[in-house]
Amino acid sequence: MTSTLPFDDFRNLLANLPAADTTAEARVRTLFAKADKPGNSLGRIEDIAAWLAAWSGRAPPAVTRPLMAVFAGNHGVTRHGISPRPVAATANAVELCAAGGAAINQICIANDLGLKVFDLALHIPTADISEDAALDERGCAATMAFGMEAIAGGTDLLCLGDLGVGNSTVAAALFAALFGGRGVDWVGPGSGAEAAMQARKADVVDAALAFHGGHLGDPLEVLRRVGGREFAAIAGAILAARMQKIPVLLDGVAAMAAAAVLHAANPAALDHCLLASLSPEPAHARAAERLGLRPLLDLGISHGEGAGAALAAGLVKAAALTSSGMAAAVRG
């Protein structure tokens, strides 16, 4: 594929997304209907199994190689005092994951998930979005391409999460740019910001919108201007999974903001995605409603790392096993 601009390849992919396997989906629903149970008695478990079939092409579906991918990035905008945590906390969290001591490690063990944690140049924060573009087009496209490599080696369920001090402010800027509104409409406490800090977050978002105001009509331009590396990588991973017909679980406000970019480019871009859980961040629920995503879990988790996605993966695996086991009984 040749292109004249770095984003052209991604625009081409977004214009030519694979469709769901409706035959596989219908087969799973038919198997549930034939099972010896009241109709639709398993509720969303049946929907999850049908979704898995639709986006894997397997009926009944199976989840044998689930992967949790966590992308970590740092942001120049943190210099405005928008987070109660120091920038070094991002690298510390990555190191804790590498040592096996983070919450996500334990949840992945419990649900038998593979885990990859990606350090996205943490020593080089993106530019301050209130006065510059976070990334240039080439850098943003390269980071999206890097995110696409998350599925290298194979997986049949991709769970996505993030790490990044200050990225709830960046997510708020993305939501405001994509959905409209001001900073105050989208910022929240993040990792524990009190009222004065939340006001600073809102001011930073408004400054970013004002600075980039003439260039926010293109979703990929929004991503590079007011986003960040973990957002770009997650967007790339979502897109790669779609092209390879891999179902995706989204978790956290950053992953939701990255997904919103793709949705703005093509409203069908998230059809292969489910929302794992809702965080207490107010923008998360508002964005989920705008994107038509209903969470599988609502446990009040704001920890990050993709903890909600890793927990929801257990539910998705159970749905797959329920479908296949009941299908075997129907055949018998």
Side-chain angles (χ1 to χ4, degrees):
M1 188 184 302
T2 60
S3 65
T4 57
L5 294 172
F7 281 151
D8 284 354
D9 288 346
F10 297 103
R11 292 193 177 99
N12 290 336
L13 292 176
L14 283 162
N16 296 281
L17 297 172
D21 187 332
T22 54
T23 300
E25 178 182 7
R27 185 178 177 196
V28 166
R29 293 196 182 278
T30 299
L31 287 168
F32 275 124
K34 290 180 177 179
D36 186 13
K37 67 174 186 61
N40 301 313
S41 61
L42 287 170
R44 290 192 74 186
I45 292 296
E46 298 184 30
D47 294 335
I48 293 167
W51 167 79
L52 274 173
W55 291 107
S56 67
R58 301 168 68 180
V63 178
T64 60
R65 300 186 66 188
L67 174 66
M68 181 75 239
V70 181
F71 295 94
N74 276 328
H75 304 271
V77 75
T78 56
R79 71 185 185 86
H80 295 287
I82 57 168
S83 175
R85 304 172 72 221
V87 173
T90 306
N92 293 341
V94 170
E95 291 171 5
L96 186 61
C97 290
I104 191 62
N105 297 96
Q106 321 321 318
I107 301 170
C108 286
I109 291 169
N111 285 330
D112 196 20
L113 310 178
L115 174 62
K116 294 180 181 178
V117 181
F118 299 92
D119 172 339
L120 300 171
L122 294 181
H123 61 294
I124 308 174
T126 53
D128 179 353
I129 63 171
S130 69
E131 59 184 35
D132 199 354
L135 297 162
D136 61 24
E137 182 171 339
R138 186 172 300 279
C140 187
T143 307
M144 292 178 71
F146 181 82
M148 297 181 85
E149 293 299 315
I151 61 173
T155 180
D156 50 21
L157 177 67
L158 180 63
C159 307
L160 294 171
D162 68 274
L163 287 167
V165 171
N167 70 10
S168 68
T169 300
V170 174
L174 285 167
F175 290 142
L178 294 167
F179 297 139
R182 300 170 53 238
V184 69
D185 300 316
W186 293 102
V187 301
S191 56
E194 35 68 44
M197 186 173 285
Q198 288 188 52
R200 287 198 296 276
K201 293 172 70 169
D203 289 344
V204 163
V205 170
D206 289 341
L209 295 176
F211 182 84
H212 300 284
H215 305 278
L216 300 179
D218 179 345
L220 294 181
E221 275 292 296
V222 171
L223 177 63
R224 82 164 186 90
R225 286 176 175 274
V226 300
R229 291 191 183 93
E230 70 269 47
F231 296 86
I234 290 170
I238 294 170
L239 187 54
R242 177 59 167 269
M243 305 313 293
Q244 296 297 319
K245 301 294 287 289
I246 299 168
V248 172
L249 288 178
L250 302 172
D251 186 50
V253 70
M256 179 71 81
V261 170
L262 300 180
H263 184 271
N266 183 338
L270 305 182
D271 289 354
H272 65 305
C273 301
L274 290 183
L275 175 58
S277 69
L278 275 180
S279 73
E281 191 76 359
H284 203 184
R286 290 188 61 202
E289 183 177 0
R290 295 290 291 264
L291 297 175
L293 295 171
R294 186 158 59 108
L296 298 178
L297 304 172
D298 190 357
L299 302 177
I301 295 173
S302 59
H303 185 68
E305 301 176 359
L311 287 165
L315 183 61
V316 173
K317 291 175 70 177
L321 286 170
T322 301
S323 175
S324 59
M326 297 186 80
V330 168
R331 292 192 195 100

